[in-house]
Amino acid sequence: MRIFRYRESSSIHLGAVTEEGEAYRLNAPDLMSLVGEARAAGLSVSGYVLRNLAQSVPIGVRAESLDLAAPLDAPEVWAAGVTYQRSREARNFEATAGKLDADTFYDKVYEAERPELFMKSTAARTVGPGAQVCLRSDSTWQVPEAELGLVLDRGGAIVGYTAGNDMSCRDIEGENPLYLPQAKIWKRSCAIGPFVRLAETVADPYALGIACRIYRDGRMVVEETANTGQLKRRLEELVGFLKRDNELFDGTVLLTGTCLVPPNQFTLASGDRIEIEIEGIGTLVNTAVYAAELDAAMIQG
Ligand code: DO4
Ligand code: MG
C-alpha cells in the first residue's frame, strides 16, 4: 500500500493506493498522524487503512493522474553517501580527475564501520513531484542522485519508502570535500515523493530496481538503472548511526545513497526533466531550473 498527497480545490488531501491500484481519499490529515492512529488502534498502517476503507472516499481515477504533492513535510532530510560502489567510483573520479593512485577518503568511508551521513535538506528546501528543483549558478557539473528514501518516525522505525533526489554539484565536492554542504544544500536541492510505500508492504527493500532518466528538449539524454541489492550497508545500520545520540523528528527522511551516476561528461541544464523511478514505489518527476530564473519568474508573478 502506498500513501500520497494531492491538491484539489485549493486543499491538500491524504490518499492511499491499495495493492489493486485503487486510490482512496483518507480522513487523516497527514502520514504521521495516520501512523499514530494505526498504532493507537494496535494495527499496522496498511491494516488500519484497509479496515477503514469503507469510510474512505474512492477517488475514481489513478493516483498518478492527480495533482500530486510531496507525500509529507519532512522536517529534516538526511542522506548517506558512498553506500554503493558506483558512488565510490564517481567520487574518486571527481576528486582526482581520474588520476587515482592511492586510497581516498571515499575508499575509506566505503569500508569503514561508520557510514557517511550528512544533513541534506530542511522542509523549506525540499520539493515534491512536479515542482522545479534548482541548479546552482556557481557549478558547471551538476547531477541528480536517485536514491531510496526511508521515512522514519522519531524513534527511528522505518515507516515507509519513498523516492528521493539528492541534487549534487560534482565540481564543488570534487574541489574539496569540506565544501560538501555547498555541493549538497541550496534552494530546492532536494525532491521526494510522490508515494510512500508502507514498510510492512515491501517484501524486500534490497531488491528494488532504480532508474534515473533525464530528458532534454523531449529527448532522453541519460538513462541509468541499478538495484538496491547493490547497497553496501543494511538500512538499520544507517538509521542506527543517524539516531545515535541524536534527536529525530516524526517524518524525517533518510536518503540511502546513490547507485546511479550519469556519464562523467554530463551536467544538468535548465529545462531538463528528471525522472527517478523505484520499483513498487513510484516515479518522481522534476524539472531543473537555475535558482535566479525561478526568483525572476516569481517576481514577474
Ligand atoms: O560523499 C559525498 C556524498 C555522496 C552521495 O551523496 C551519495 O553517495 O549518494
Ligand atoms: Mg547522494
Side-chain angles (χ1 to χ4, degrees):
M1 177 174 292
R2 296 178 300 158
I3 305 298
F4 62 98
R5 289 195 300 182
Y6 65 106
R7 297 178 207 90
E8 194 182 65
S9 319
S10 68
S11 298
I12 194 150
H13 303 291
L14 194 69
V17 187
T18 64
E19 299 304 328
E20 293 73 38
E22 300 290 337
Y24 290 85
R25 181 169 144 189
L26 303 179
N27 288 322
D30 55 55
L31 172 62
M32 296 314 291
S33 304
L34 184 71
V35 171
E37 287 176 20
R39 286 178 181 167
L43 294 169
S44 66
V45 185
S46 52
Y48 181 72
V49 172
L50 287 174
R51 194 189 72 176
N52 293 335
L53 225 46
Q55 291 97 275
S56 306
V57 183
I59 297 175
V61 294
R62 291 186 70 234
E64 284 80 358
S65 68
L66 297 167
D67 182 11
L68 295 169
L72 74 163
D73 296 322
E76 293 180 347
V77 179
W78 289 77
V82 201
T83 49
Y84 289 88
Q85 174 65 18
R86 183 70 190 93
S87 178
R88 175 192 192 174
E89 289 163 6
R91 305 294 76 84
N92 279 337
F93 181 86
E94 69 213 20
T96 64
K99 298 191 189 73
L100 183 64
D101 54 10
D103 275 3
T104 64
F105 284 116
Y106 300 112
D107 293 315
K108 288 182 183 142
V109 84
Y110 185 77
E111 301 293 351
E113 185 193 351
R114 183 190 292 275
E116 178 193 2
L117 294 176
F118 57 93
M119 170 66 89
K120 170 62 192 177
S121 191
T122 55
R125 294 184 178 85
T126 306
V127 300
Q132 289 166 309
V133 287
C134 281
L135 298 170
R136 284 188 74 112
S137 60
D138 58 357
S139 169
T140 57
W141 197 9
Q142 308 190 59
V143 292
E145 289 190 352
E147 306 195 8
L148 175 69
L150 313 180
V151 179
L152 307 175
D153 71 7
R154 66 180 68 184
I158 302 175
V159 169
Y161 302 93
T162 192
N165 179 357
D166 168 23
M167 292 284 285
S168 299
C169 298
R170 297 187 67 185
D171 49 354
I172 296 178
E173 182 180 344
E175 186 179 342
N176 188 325
L178 295 179
Y179 293 150
L180 190 73
Q182 295 174 77
K184 294 289 191 181
I185 307 169
W186 63 92
K187 181 193 287 201
R188 292 173 175 245
S189 65
C190 180
I192 57 168
F195 298 100
V196 173
R197 184 169 200 112
L198 295 170
E200 70 265 16
T201 68
V202 175
D204 184 0
Y206 302 98
L208 305 175
I210 305 193
C212 179
R213 292 178 284 270
I214 302 171
Y215 295 84
R216 185 166 293 166
D217 301 325
R219 197 172 61 86
M220 191 166 68
V221 290
V222 170
E223 183 176 32
E224 301 281 334
T225 57
N227 193 284
T228 56
Q230 296 155 353
L231 184 64
K232 171 82 176 353
R233 299 183 184 264
R234 306 301 291 176
L235 300 174
E236 288 70 23
E237 187 188 339
L238 297 174
V239 176
F241 274 93
L242 179 64
K243 73 179 194 183
R244 188 179 287 185
D245 297 319
N246 193 7
E247 185 174 7
L248 294 186
F249 306 98
D250 279 336
T252 292
V253 169
L254 173 58
L255 304 180
T256 53
T258 194
C259 45
L260 297 171
V261 183
N264 286 329
Q265 67 279 8
F266 178 84
T267 186
L268 284 167
S270 183
D272 283 356
R273 175 187 159 95
I274 304 160
E275 284 185 9
I276 292 171
E277 181 176 3
I278 306 187
E279 188 183 351
I281 297 177
T283 305
L284 173 63
V285 180
N286 297 99
T287 306
V289 63
Y290 279 99
E293 290 178 286
L294 191 70
D295 292 345
M298 280 177 175
I299 290 166
Q300 279 167 9

